[in-house]
Amino acid sequence: MRLSYLTVVAFFTLLTVSSFVPDKQYAQRLGIMSGLGQDSIAHAGGFTMIGESVRKMLAPGVSDEAFNANLKQMKTARCKVTVCNLFFPGNIKIAGPDVVEARVLSYADSVLSRAGQAGVKLIVLGSGGSRNIPAGYDLAKAQTDFIALCKKIGQLGAKYKVVIALENLETTETTFITSLKSAADIVRRVNHPNFRLNVDIFHMMREGESPDEIRAAKGLVGYCEVAEKEKRTLPGVMGDDFKPYFRALRDINYKGLIFIEGSIGNASVEIPGAYEYLSAQLAAVDAEKR
């Protein structure tokens, strides 16, 4: 009997997932921003933590009824929803000349209140569209105003026991804070325990930043994200080497969360493969100091 190509692929996919035994050594550090729709696959692949979006789960636009349904879904999920991203929508400016502070803080208070209720411990502050500043705008003023705003957002984070992690984006995504170095400078000047630095290794690689910038940010890092450089694929798809960045994280004694945020193709293969791939790279770096 001749089997179709899709049948063969499906068979080997099932074989790969069913025979995969995840290494639990890094289960308390590794997570994936895949959403609850991939909860079962992520859990079977070794993950204990998963990421969702503010827009879908926590935003003020989510009705109370829908939020309560989200809470029930998170409670029954196999992976704990520890992190949410996509903090501010593009129509709420957080940097530049069009910031309405009262609107920003009201929105942030609502999101962080719900995050506290849901047990979400960290919100990623990327929001590239929200933080765009116009060409020619006074950069020093943008930074000063943004820092003052982030101090207040950090205070809201403390109120609800949620950490906000400022993400270094790349120049194709925003015009403001496009390097780890510049993000670290903002976090340093905000100087609030609930406002920390997100080391996004994918964006660092895209911008050609050295792992030494992680070492320079010692004491500021509260979170880390990773994906492969060329197409933002999950670790292991293209085989990118993240060890130089993991060495830098080791050198600053960072032992916190490392979440994958990338494009998912064949979830049943790529998600467990990413857990295995990152675990192996972290183990290799850890072994170097033994």
Side-chain angles (χ1 to χ4, degrees), residues 4-285:
S4 71
Y5 171 75
L6 290 177
T7 301
V8 173
V9 170
F11 171 76
F12 280 105
T13 296
L14 178 62
L15 183 63
T16 300
V17 174
S18 62
S19 62
F20 173 69
V21 179
D23 180 351
K24 298 295 185 183
Q25 181 180 1
Y26 298 101
Q28 300 307 311
R29 295 191 66 190
L30 295 179
I32 185 164
M33 300 295 297
S34 62
L36 286 170
Q38 306 287 3
D39 174 54
S40 294
I41 293 173
H43 186 265
F47 293 100
T48 60
M49 297 173 291
I50 207 164
E52 261 290 359
S53 76
V54 165
R55 215 166 290 171
K56 177 182 172 184
M57 307 300 290
L58 308 173
V62 177
S63 69
D64 288 342
E65 182 181 8
F67 175 63
N68 288 330
N70 288 342
L71 288 179
K72 289 179 182 178
Q73 188 181 11
M74 286 190 278
K75 186 176 181 179
T76 58
R78 294 183 176 187
C79 293
K80 183 173 177 58
V81 179
T82 307
V83 177
C84 284
N85 63 0
L86 305 177
F87 194 173
F88 290 95
N91 65 340
I92 298 182
K93 298 296 294 182
I94 59 174
D98 301 318
V99 176
V100 180
E101 184 179 278
R103 185 184 183 198
V104 173
L105 296 179
S106 174
Y107 176 89
D109 187 87
S110 178
V111 168
L112 293 168
S113 171
R114 284 182 162 185
Q117 293 176 62
V120 173
K121 299 301 183 185
L122 187 141
I123 303 289
V124 177
L125 178 49
S127 306
S130 297
R131 77 190 203 204
N132 269 337
I133 59 174
Y137 189 75
D138 187 331
L139 179 60
K141 176 173 173 51
Q143 291 173 336
T144 299
D145 291 347
F146 185 67
I147 288 163
L149 181 63
C150 289
K151 285 178 182 287
K152 294 177 182 180
I153 294 173
Q155 290 168 5
L156 290 175
K159 178 181 177 181
Y160 297 111
K161 298 181 181 178
V162 180
V163 171
I164 297 92
L166 179 63
E167 180 179 6
N168 55 299
L169 297 178
E170 58 184 276
T171 50
T172 61
E173 294 186 348
T174 192
T175 59
F176 184 53
I177 314 173
T178 56
S179 67
L180 187 72
K181 183 176 182 179
S182 60
D185 180 60
I186 296 290
V187 173
R188 190 176 288 111
R189 293 164 66 186
V190 170
N191 191 29
H192 193 286
N194 288 75
F195 194 87
R196 307 294 288 163
L197 180 63
N198 170 13
V199 172
D200 191 304
I201 294 172
F202 164 73
H203 291 305
M204 289 185 73
M205 294 191 298
R206 283 286 186 95
E207 291 295 311
E209 282 194 279
S210 166
D212 285 336
E213 294 297 345
I214 297 174
R215 296 182 176 93
K218 184 177 181 179
L220 304 174
V221 181
Y223 181 63
C224 177
E225 288 182 327
V226 64
E228 295 185 323
K229 178 181 177 181
E230 185 180 352
K231 297 180 181 179
R232 206 170 194 165
T233 42
L234 299 196
V237 172
M238 302 296 292
D240 285 13
D241 183 9
F242 303 107
K243 292 194 294 296
Y245 299 91
F246 291 160
R247 288 187 189 102
L249 290 170
R250 177 201 64 197
D251 291 347
I252 65 169
N253 200 34
Y254 176 74
K255 296 178 181 178
L257 301 180
I258 299 174
F259 264 61
I260 298 163
E261 186 194 18
S263 301
I264 301 173
N266 187 338
S268 59
V269 173
E270 292 178 9
I271 289 177
Y275 181 90
E276 187 175 21
Y277 189 83
L278 281 190
S279 294
Q281 292 211 345
L282 286 166
V285 169

